[in-house]
């Protein structure tokens, strides 16, 4: 058995916002004022890159202060912490403060309080209450809770495994936390906490039962959205800028709708559709509302509500041909087949393309528009240069196949009145493809694309970048993914069934 690493993980901004919402009802998303995470594994939750700068430490204090003030600002807010807080008197306020502590702290720490912890927090309340109000005393406690390592980090001590002394197993509460942050991106709910106390999370079967319940809950869709917002180039579409004269039908509002199209499509296919990664890559439909349908040139759709529509499968098929993905992989008013190809090769096939350095880096710049009527003409010099060809032979053939989509993702057959040659190929496969439809179909059939997708979920779920010592975990998840017919929901359940999810090496190694 090789459970692999179980690194100490700090809450990401996404997780922090969700947690304070569920703990205190704070919906202001305060963590977005914190410094951005280092991407590391691409999702911002890579434990190996979660260093604490002086700015982050300072901002965590500022954010905690703001949350605490909002949680205690009115009698109604205080009453949400505990009913007794709506009418405190000198005689009962200390008892009420203890009630609030005993309700909040175990949920904030995601474990029962140890002996004496409630007394320490009550002493903190008393100090904050001196020469101030009951609300200030309670806010002092909340501020402390939100800056505690037990809140900010997912601390795991585990319990010894009697059959394998070199291993430890997460406690019930630690397993509840693992499950909840994987599937909901937030703290455990009351049902999961009760299951932990009842010992229901001590077996793989028990964990699977609760994972299936949680995945069926609408809260799981937030994590799906977060995952794809980080895997795909769609999160900044609302900020995308294009020349208004060249692309008169595009706007930032359309960019925002493109992002929603992709997310609606993914949610539907995963939760109501076939639900496999190959089907996502080749689905013959999408979701649009009135303004987005007009942008695409799709008739019969009006209003702001998104609805499912069939695609013209001679022009579009599946996720990658959506306008948002094509626009998101374009960084100017002209398409760049290298960028599009690099996205597919590195993000969807997990092939590492080293960044150019030194003299080569100085040569890497988009060709001038006048150097060719089409992108193929402008960019073909890459593959002709022996220094560049080693990497570009993987990226360019994919990028050229997407040239039927312009810089805002609209379909075209010509560029500068010259017919576009959209032929290309998929690395590691035989033969060529003619255009984006053949490309996505061929990509969806490759084992490389399936293994890569599963690997991204392993890295996201376990908060790490895969290394050699994680090979057993990667292979276990990949094998289960293949056995399920590459079903995404089953992949998430299988992530809760690995040795890496149920064990950790003694000593935190």
């Amino acid at each position: 058995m090789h459970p692999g690493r179980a690194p100490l993980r700090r809450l990401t901004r996404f997780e922090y916002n969700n947690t304070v919402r569920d703990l205190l009802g704070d919906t202001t998303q305060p963590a977005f004022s914190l410094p951005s995470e280092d991407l590391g594994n691409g999702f911002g939750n890579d434990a190996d890159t979660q260093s604490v700068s002086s700015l982050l430490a300072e901002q965590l204090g500022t954010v905690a202060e703001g949350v605490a003030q909002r949680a205690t600002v009115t009698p109604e807010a205080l009453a949400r912490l505990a009913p007794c807080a709506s009418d405190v008197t000198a005689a009962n306020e200390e008892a009420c403060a203890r009630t609030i502590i005993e309700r909040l702290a175990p949920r904030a720490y995601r474990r029962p309080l140890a002996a004496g912890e409630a007394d320490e927090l009550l002493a903190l309340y008393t100090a904050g209450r001196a020469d101030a109000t009951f609300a200030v005393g309670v806010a002092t406690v909340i501020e402390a809770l939100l800056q505690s390592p037990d809140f900010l980090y997912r601390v795991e001590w585990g319990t010894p495994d009697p059959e394998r002394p070199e291993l430890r197993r997460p406690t019930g509460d630690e397993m509840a936390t693992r499950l909840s942050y994987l599937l909901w991106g937030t703290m455990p709910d009351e049902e999961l906490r009760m299951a932990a106390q009842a010992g229901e999370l001590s077996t793989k079967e028990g964990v699977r039962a609760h994972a299936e319940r949680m995945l069926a809950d609408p809260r799981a869709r937030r994590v799906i959205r977060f995952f794809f917002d980080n895997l795909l180039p769609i999160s900044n579409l609302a900020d995308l800028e294009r020349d208004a004269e060249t692309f008169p039908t595009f706007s930032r509002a359309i960019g925002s709708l493109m992002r929603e199209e992709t997310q609606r499509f993914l949610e539907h296919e995963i939760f109501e559709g076939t639900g496999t990664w190959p089907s996502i890559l080749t689905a013959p439909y999408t979701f649009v509302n009135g303004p987005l349908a007009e942008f695409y040139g799709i008739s019969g759709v009006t209003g702001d509500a998104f609805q499912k529509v069939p695609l013209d499968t001679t022009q579009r098929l599946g996720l990658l041909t959506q306008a948002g993905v094509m626009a998101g992989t374009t960084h100017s008013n002209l398409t760049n087949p290298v960028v599009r190809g690099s996205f597919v090769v590195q993000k969807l096939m997990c092939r590492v393309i080293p960044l150019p350095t030194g003299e080569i880096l100085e040569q890497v710049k988009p060709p001038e528009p006048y150097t060719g009527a089409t992108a193929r003409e402008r960019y073909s010099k890459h593959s002709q240069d022996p220094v560049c060809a080693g990497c570009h032979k993987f990226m360019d053939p994919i990028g050229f196949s997407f040239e039927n989509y312009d810089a805002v993702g609209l379909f075209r057959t010509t560029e500068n009145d010259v017919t576009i040659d959209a032929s290309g190929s998929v690395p590691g496969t035989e033969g060529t493809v003619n255009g984006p439809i053949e490309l996505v179909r061929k990509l969806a059939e490759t084992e490389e694309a399936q293994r890569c997708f599963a690997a991204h979920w392993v890295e996201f779920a376990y908060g790490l970048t895969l290394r050699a010592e994680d090979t057993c975990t990667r292979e276990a998840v990949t094998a289960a993914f293949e056995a399920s017919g590459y079903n995404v929901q089953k992949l998430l359940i299988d992530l809760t069934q690995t040795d890496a999810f149920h064990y950790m090496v003694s000593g935190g190694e």
Side-chain angles (χ1 to χ4, degrees):
M1 179 182 295
H2 300 281
R5 297 176 291 143
L8 178 65
R9 298 165 62 177
R10 191 178 72 240
L11 299 186
T12 64
R13 295 183 301 165
F14 170 71
E15 293 167 338
Y16 188 109
N17 284 336
N18 292 340
T19 304
V20 296
R21 179 200 62 221
D22 295 339
L23 179 67
L24 296 163
D26 192 311
T27 58
T28 64
Q29 298 188 318
F32 285 144
S33 64
L34 299 173
S36 299
E37 292 98 357
D38 291 330
L39 285 180
N41 60 9
F43 301 99
N45 70 344
D46 188 338
D48 292 333
T49 66
Q50 289 186 320
S51 59
V52 180
S53 65
S54 57
L55 176 60
L56 175 60
E58 178 184 344
Q59 288 298 101
L60 283 170
T62 302
V63 167
E65 182 181 2
V67 174
Q69 287 178 346
R70 287 188 291 276
T72 57
V73 67
T74 64
E76 293 75 21
L78 281 167
R80 286 193 287 271
L81 301 177
C84 63
S86 63
D87 186 26
V88 293
T89 65
N92 72 1
E93 70 170 55
E94 184 172 310
C96 187
R98 180 179 284 276
T99 297
I100 292 172
I101 288 168
E102 291 178 346
R103 288 187 61 182
L104 271 187
R107 296 171 63 221
Y109 293 168
R110 302 175 287 275
R111 60 166 174 78
L113 293 182
E117 282 189 305
D119 293 333
E120 292 174 0
L121 290 168
L122 187 61
L124 189 61
Y125 157 80
T126 302
R129 172 71 173 89
D131 300 322
T133 64
F134 173 78
V136 170
V138 173
T140 303
V141 172
I142 293 174
E143 196 174 333
L145 289 175
L146 298 184
Q147 294 180 82
S148 166
D150 290 276
F151 173 80
L152 292 172
Y153 288 86
R154 291 166 49 181
V155 180
E156 296 181 331
W157 297 103
T159 58
D161 185 338
E163 298 180 5
R164 304 175 184 85
E166 77 280 8
L167 299 177
R168 297 177 72 84
R169 300 191 65 142
T171 66
D173 289 294
E174 290 165 359
M175 179 56 76
T177 295
R178 285 190 174 195
L179 269 175
S180 192
Y181 280 98
L182 166 58
L183 297 176
W184 287 347
T186 188
M187 56 185 274
D189 67 353
E190 188 62 23
E191 185 171 350
L192 200 55
R193 292 178 65 228
M194 295 299 292
Q197 295 304 310
E200 295 176 17
L201 305 181
S202 61
T203 65
K204 288 188 175 182
E205 294 75 19
V207 168
R208 175 182 286 274
H210 280 277
E212 289 172 346
R213 170 186 75 85
M214 296 171 68
L215 196 56
D217 190 289
R219 284 173 282 189
R221 301 191 179 209
R222 291 194 297 256
V223 168
I224 294 290
R225 281 186 170 242
F226 180 81
F227 176 87
F228 283 107
D229 251 349
N230 286 271
L231 180 68
L232 303 175
I234 61 173
S235 62
N236 295 318
L237 288 173
D239 299 321
L240 201 64
E241 294 185 355
R242 291 288 185 264
D243 179 70
E245 185 175 340
T246 308
F247 303 104
T249 63
F250 179 79
S251 65
R252 291 188 175 189
I254 291 294
S256 179
L257 294 175
M258 288 176 175
R259 179 187 185 187
E260 186 62 21
E261 171 195 4
T262 298
Q263 292 288 14
R264 291 287 183 97
F265 162 77
L266 288 164
E267 283 187 33
H268 178 84
E269 182 60 24
I270 291 170
F271 291 102
E272 280 90 39
T274 306
T276 69
W277 184 229
S279 70
I280 288 171
L281 293 173
T282 58
Y285 68 89
T286 191
F287 280 78
V288 296
N289 66 358
L292 192 57
E294 183 179 355
F295 173 79
Y296 273 123
I298 298 173
S299 60
V301 179
T302 58
D304 293 331
F306 276 77
Q307 58 183 275
K308 183 179 178 182
V309 296
L311 293 172
D312 176 353
T313 55
T314 66
Q315 296 185 2
R316 297 186 191 272
L317 191 71
L319 173 70
L320 299 185
T321 66
Q322 292 177 356
V325 177
M326 290 293 93
T329 49
T330 305
H331 302 327
S332 71
N333 293 310
L334 292 173
T335 58
N336 186 328
V338 177
V339 175
R340 285 176 171 174
S342 174
F343 164 71
V344 174
V345 170
Q346 300 203 76
K347 282 284 193 176
L348 303 186
M349 302 185 78
C350 292
R351 292 194 175 202
V352 178
I353 304 293
L355 291 173
T357 58
E359 295 181 0
I360 300 177
L361 179 60
E362 296 179 4
Q363 302 176 33
V364 178
K365 57 182 179 180
E368 297 293 341
Y370 61 78
T371 58
T374 66
R376 184 181 291 271
E377 293 178 15
R378 295 191 295 272
Y379 282 87
S380 289
K381 293 180 180 180
H382 286 132
S383 55
Q384 296 168 4
D385 186 335
V387 177
C388 303
C391 293
H392 284 273
K393 67 180 180 181
F394 298 115
M395 299 181 290
D396 295 7
I398 288 180
F400 288 142
S401 288
F402 285 125
E403 274 301 301
N404 282 132
Y405 307 106
D406 67 14
V408 296
L410 289 176
F411 188 83
R412 63 184 180 178
T413 56
T414 64
E415 183 181 8
N416 294 318
D417 297 323
V418 176
T419 299
I420 291 171
D421 175 5
S423 62
S425 61
V426 177
T429 67
E430 296 182 359
T432 60
V433 296
N434 184 23
I437 307 303
E438 289 186 14
L439 177 81
V440 296
R441 283 184 170 141
K442 194 163 191 176
L443 178 68
E445 295 172 353
T446 65
E447 181 182 352
E448 201 169 352
Q450 318 310 329
R451 292 179 64 88
C452 181
F453 184 71
H456 283 310
W457 269 108
V458 172
E459 294 189 324
F460 170 71
Y462 301 160
L464 45 73
T465 296
L466 288 168
R467 300 177 185 169
E469 59 262 43
D470 304 308
T471 298
C472 289
T473 300
R474 182 208 300 260
E475 293 304 318
V477 172
T478 300
F481 189 41
E482 181 179 6
S484 75
Y486 305 116
N487 184 278
V488 179
Q489 283 201 62
K490 291 181 179 178
L491 170 61
L492 269 65
I493 298 297
D494 289 330
L495 287 167
T496 73
Q497 299 296 293
T498 65
D499 290 340
F501 202 75
H502 284 264
Y503 295 89
M504 46 190 167
V505 179
S506 292
E509 296 176 6

